Amino acid sequence: MFLLGTLVNALAIAAGALAGRLLSGIPESIRQTVMQGIGLAIVVLGLKMSLDTNNILLVIVSIVLGSMIGELMGIEKSLNRLGQWLEKKIGGNRQGKIATGFVTATLVYCIGAMAVLGSLDSGLRNNHDILYTKAMLDGLSSIIFSSTLGIGVIFSAVPVFLYQGTIALLATQINSLVSPAMLEAILAEVTAVGGLIIIAIGINILELKKINVANMLPALVIAAVGVPVEKWLSAVMG
């Protein structure tokens, strides 16, 4: 069952979010300090990921073009509207609480090398070890997110399942179309671009500046496509 790892990951997030609600009564000052710590940790994670690049120019082009496409598509507004719809259906302690928790957690859990590599490993080799590890990490972090951002975190399990499940389903086709060396190069640049997006998430959590992070998501696709295009151009011109 190549979707087993993805299913476990989604369930871990949901379970962690439910457990986090038990901690929702902690003082606001403690929750604020905890969120600041999480924001700093996310920035460090993003920095580490972004250093994986072998082509900083491609990373810059991907972020610029991806952000432009995302703004035109209105991805951030769409995610927020979905979160607000959930808020009307479920209700929350404060306006915007469910939307914020849903959007933030979805971005954190879907962006990163473990989500992509784990899903590929599940689809290609039916090996779920990476996603099991990610499930443990996501489950623990969802406890903290839910206790500070609210129950909206639990709904992030759905896009995580759809995103990772889709990658696992397409893994066989990806393997037949892309060589291992090319796949490794693509993952390096996608991880680097994802790292910059993760940094932006950390900045939002720290409330230093509001960044429309979701609108940067097309940059991941541009980075993935840009690697083989760049290598083809180098071969033609070289």
Side-chain angles (χ1 to χ4, degrees), residues 33-45 145 198-199 201-207:
T33 303
V34 169
M35 281 307 297
Q36 289 172 341
I38 292 174
L40 289 171
I42 288 175
V43 168
V44 172
L45 173 63
F145 276 137
I198 288 287
I199 292 173
I201 294 172
I203 291 173
N204 279 348
I205 292 176
L206 292 170
E207 298 182 346

Side-chain angles (χ1 to χ4, degrees), residues 60-81:
I60 295 172
V61 170
S62 297
I63 285 290
V64 171
L65 293 181
S67 297
M68 291 172 62
I69 294 171
E71 286 289 342
L72 291 173
M73 293 175 63
I75 299 174
E76 182 96 6
K77 291 181 181 178
S78 297
L79 275 177
N80 281 324
R81 279 198 295 268

Side-chain angles (χ1 to χ4, degrees), residues 142-220:
S142 70
I143 295 175
I144 301 173
F145 276 137
S146 180
S147 66
T148 52
L149 295 176
I151 194 59
V153 173
I154 195 171
F155 299 108
S156 66
V158 176
V160 167
F161 180 82
L162 295 176
Y163 172 68
Q164 294 181 178
T166 299
I167 294 175
L169 285 170
L170 296 175
T172 305
Q173 285 74 17
I174 293 173
N175 189 49
S176 62
L177 295 173
V178 180
S179 67
M182 179 64 75
L183 182 59
E184 184 178 346
I186 291 173
L187 288 176
E189 302 313 318
V190 169
T191 297
V193 172
L196 292 182
I197 298 176
I198 288 287
I199 292 173
I201 294 172
I203 291 173
N204 279 348
I205 292 176
L206 292 170
E207 298 182 346
L208 298 177
K209 184 176 179 63
K210 177 65 175 72
I211 300 175
N212 295 328
V213 179
N215 289 341
M216 297 180 178
L217 292 177
L220 298 170

Side-chain angles (χ1 to χ4, degrees), residues 4 20 24 26 34 48 88-89 102 106 108 133 150 202:
L4 180 60
S24 60
I26 61 177
V34 169
K48 183 176 181 297
K88 290 179 182 178
K89 296 296 182 181
F102 167 70
T106 296
V108 170
T133 302

Side-chain angles (χ1 to χ4, degrees), residues 87-99:
E87 187 136 22
K88 290 179 182 178
K89 296 296 182 181
I90 308 298
N93 295 330
R94 295 199 300 269
Q95 185 177 5
K97 196 172 183 64
I98 287 181

